Amino acid sequence: MKPQLLIGAPTSGSGKTMFTLGLLRALKKRGLKVQPYKGGPDYIDAQYLTIAADRDAVNLDTWMASSTHVQYVYNRYGEKADVCVAEGMMGLYDGYYQMKGSCAEIAGLLNIPVVLVVNARAAAYSVAPVLYGFKHFRSSVRIAGVVFSQVSSPSHFACLKEACSDAGLECLGYLPYSEDLRVPSRHLGLTLTVRQSMDELAEKAAALVEQYIDVDKLLNLCTRIFPCRYTLPYTSEQGVEAMETGRRKKMRIAVARDPAFNFIYRENLDRLAESGNLTFFSPVYGSDLPDADLVYLPGGYPELFARQLHRRKRMMQQLRDYAESGGKVFAECGGMMFLTRSLTARKGGTAYQMTGLLPVDCTMENARLHLGYRRMNYQGISLRGHEFHYSSIAEPDTLPSVTPLYNVKGTEVSTPLYRYKNVIAGYTHWYWGEADLWKLWD
């Protein structure tokens, strides 16, 4: 038995992240080991949760992974924790199709209760029917209690508390409106300054949580049996064991990780670690590429560090030599941008020379959002992932693709997978917790 909960909300912008940051830090300050999770594919919020809890946040996503794998991951990472806290995404029932892929689905799958965060800035007693609807909409999703955000005064909270009681739900407290509680822009990169800012923000939020939230009551209401039961047939461990990792135990794997490249799913790193030793390096600050049998360039914000990357001539030459001699490179989104000939970071800006392995140019001019789940089949391996970027390839037809990508509806999208020798690259951030990534090169 241990406290376990998913923090959800009726809509985006309700204050889930701020409350989650505060709760994680408050529990940590009590001396509890708290395991954070992030529902959905978001890697930025997951990093914020990691900072608040001082423990790596793990993504739970029922589009990118099977139900049994999500349960397996939840149990494995939560095993040594005192408390398990998952932050939801969007509205509680918002998924890729109706509630499929939603955090309500995840809460039901894991059999954990939901703490609902409701933005009360422009609300009063009318929240009662809204809360009543969330309480009764799905019997598989249990609302343990409600936290109100953006509350203007104690009298405002008194009205909200009555509405909560009349809806048949426990009120756990509130967070007052505060100008100090603002999450930094998501397009700043995870620099040391941003990390410090997030740490300070978690401290401020924790102080409010301790003052205005009944944390003990929350923990008591959310205490459940651990681990969650698996959905049968259970295949996740068999899938992991089936990966031919034994013959690859001595593999050397170099992973780029710094403020420009940090969109990494924790489970992906664990899968790579089963094949060999991981060495982390920094394209922004480093000068040498580590010796490796595989170089992994994850996504991030290279456009914010284009000038610094441009100056890493030695590392870029080493990466070119490595790839030209047949070295394996797997690059996602920002990692792929680093492999192009040039990167234009803003409209009318300088086109900074990049590695040049891919004969195309990348630009942030005329930037527009490309967003959504993706899937592909290549070399006998099926992968699912998520695409999120504003940049584009200037002349995409000059670089032939090796396989198309599809969205959740089965429609082909305009950002395919590219290959040059053993360099495999594209805009999608892939999840390979249940797949043998090495098969891409077999």
Side-chain angles (χ1 to χ4, degrees), residues 30 213-221:
R30 290 186 174 197
I213 305 294
D214 191 338
V215 178
D216 292 328
K217 182 179 180 180
L218 182 152
L219 295 177
N220 183 57
L221 287 172

Side-chain angles (χ1 to χ4, degrees), residues 235-243 433-435:
T235 58
S236 287
E237 286 182 322
Q238 294 175 0
V240 171
E241 291 169 357
M243 299 179 199
E434 294 179 275

Side-chain angles (χ1 to χ4, degrees), residues 268-334:
N268 283 354
L269 289 182
D270 284 357
R271 294 287 75 77
L272 290 177
E274 291 180 353
S275 300
N277 296 318
L278 304 187
T279 300
F280 295 97
F281 71 101
S282 170
V284 173
Y285 302 117
S287 58
D288 289 295
L289 181 73
D291 292 334
D293 300 296
L294 170 66
V295 174
Y296 174 36
L297 300 172
Y301 290 128
E303 64 270 23
L304 300 181
F305 303 88
R307 181 181 297 179
Q308 293 97 312
L309 291 170
H310 166 73
R311 294 171 178 168
R312 298 293 172 244
K313 305 296 187 184
R314 176 170 171 168
M315 178 174 289
M316 290 194 291
Q317 183 61 54
Q318 290 174 347
L319 189 54
R320 281 193 297 270
D321 292 343
Y322 170 80
E324 292 292 351
S325 64
K328 296 179 177 67
V329 179
F330 193 67
E332 302 171 323
C333 200

Side-chain angles (χ1 to χ4, degrees), residues 116-258:
L116 201 65
V117 179
V118 178
N119 186 338
R121 187 171 187 179
Y125 188 74
S126 288
V127 299
V130 175
L131 297 178
Y132 184 87
F134 271 87
K135 176 180 172 64
H136 295 281
F137 185 64
R138 284 285 188 276
S139 60
S140 61
V141 180
R142 187 173 72 87
I143 310 296
V146 179
V147 168
F148 294 101
S149 66
Q150 305 274 339
V151 176
S152 60
S153 66
S155 60
H156 184 199
F157 174 61
C159 175
L160 296 167
K161 189 174 181 180
E162 288 178 355
C164 195
S165 176
D166 289 351
L169 285 170
E170 295 280 354
C171 183
L172 300 172
Y174 71 101
L175 292 180
Y177 174 78
S178 174
E179 287 287 349
D180 292 336
L181 297 183
R182 292 186 180 275
V183 177
S185 169
R186 293 167 67 86
H187 200 77
L188 290 175
L190 208 65
T191 62
L192 185 61
T193 301
V194 173
R195 284 182 176 275
Q196 182 177 352
S197 175
M198 289 305 304
D199 189 70
E200 294 172 355
L201 185 64
E203 284 289 323
K204 292 177 182 178
L208 293 178
V209 165
E210 286 287 8
Q211 183 175 354
Y212 294 101
I213 305 294
D214 191 338
V215 178
D216 292 328
K217 182 179 180 180
L218 182 152
L219 295 177
N220 183 57
L221 287 172
C222 294
T223 297
R224 310 286 285 179
I225 295 174
F226 185 92
C228 72
R229 292 184 178 180
Y230 291 115
T231 301
L232 297 176
Y234 178 58
T235 58
S236 287
E237 286 182 322
Q238 294 175 0
V240 171
E241 291 169 357
M243 299 179 199
E244 298 178 38
T245 56
R247 62 185 174 90
R248 300 179 179 134
K249 280 295 185 183
K250 296 182 180 180
M251 288 292 183
R252 300 163 301 171
I253 303 164
V255 180
R257 187 164 68 176
D258 61 21

Side-chain angles (χ1 to χ4, degrees), residues 61-83:
D61 190 291
T62 55
W63 160 260
M64 297 194 298
S66 68
S67 295
T68 51
H69 182 75
V70 170
Q71 293 168 324
Y72 165 72
V73 168
Y74 176 78
N75 287 341
R76 183 158 62 88
Y77 287 99
E79 183 177 2
K80 296 181 180 180
D82 300 313
V83 186

